[in-house]
Amino acid sequence: MKNESFWKLSDRQILALAIYGEARGEPAEGKIAVGSVIMERVDHRDWDGKTVHEVCLKKYQFSCFNPGDPNRGKLLNLAEHWDEAMATDPALNDCYTIAYGLLDGTIPRTPEIAASHCCQYLTKAAKKGVTWWTGMDLVLTVRNHEFYA
């Protein structure tokens, strides 16, 4: 079931929420890398979706939107109170600025991700619980995230 609170947002807003939910504690480099993965999926992996919304909200692709994920409730609240959140949450503003730049091209995609069409990442903590990355090439590590192609 589509959550209308997410689907009513613009591409910039949903990309900002995805970056916020997945990497708000990371430096700008990490936020840009996460956004770059999303944009690579939009451009190169049709099965993920053809739009930012479809890619970000595809079931079980970005954990922050998954039912039961602790970030989901926060993201829903931000989506439902966007203007207030933008006025009071500096991290959301930072993620929105990065999303805006990735979408309009003023912030280039992370070169290692763009060159490899890297479309997978996980946190080092999550790596202990999954094996999908086995046999893939590690293309970049940014603080707590590892990016694979």
Side-chain angles (χ1 to χ4, degrees):
M1 182 173 109
K2 291 183 179 181
N3 186 297
E4 293 305 318
S5 294
F6 293 138
W7 285 93
K8 71 178 183 180
L9 299 175
S10 70
D11 281 350
R12 289 179 185 141
Q13 290 170 314
I14 200 69
L15 182 56
L17 279 185
I19 294 167
Y20 183 95
E22 296 286 323
R24 70 181 169 274
E26 296 294 313
E29 177 188 15
K31 292 177 183 106
I32 293 167
V34 166
S36 295
V37 166
I38 293 166
M39 296 309 300
E40 286 298 311
R41 287 186 183 192
V42 169
D43 290 348
H44 300 288
R45 285 191 4 180
D46 286 348
W47 66 268
D48 283 315
K50 296 179 191 236
T51 69
V52 172
H53 276 80
E54 289 172 350
V55 167
C56 287
L57 299 175
K58 185 172 176 68
K59 193 172 185 177
Y60 302 118
Q61 294 302 301
F62 294 95
S63 62
C64 63
F65 293 109
N66 290 347
D69 188 282
N71 279 303
R72 182 180 169 85
K74 180 149 184 80
L75 297 183
L76 279 169
N77 187 54
L78 293 172
E80 292 165 0
H81 303 97
W82 185 264
D83 292 337
E84 179 183 338
M86 284 294 288
T88 59
D89 190 331
L92 181 61
N93 274 273
D94 186 40
C95 294
Y96 185 79
T97 299
I98 289 168
Y100 194 101
L102 285 167
L103 285 165
D104 76 4
T106 58
I107 295 177
R109 293 180 192 177
T110 303
E112 297 89 342
I113 291 171
S116 66
H117 300 305
C118 170
C119 293
Q120 305 288 340
Y121 68 88
L122 74 166
T123 63
K124 292 175 186 176
K127 189 174 182 178
K128 296 173 188 166
V130 298
T131 59
W132 61 256
W133 54 272
T134 306
M136 297 181 79
D137 294 324
L138 177 66
V139 297
L140 180 68
T141 300
V142 180
R143 199 139 139 231
N144 294 313
H145 286 82
E146 292 181 349
F147 297 83
Y148 292 86

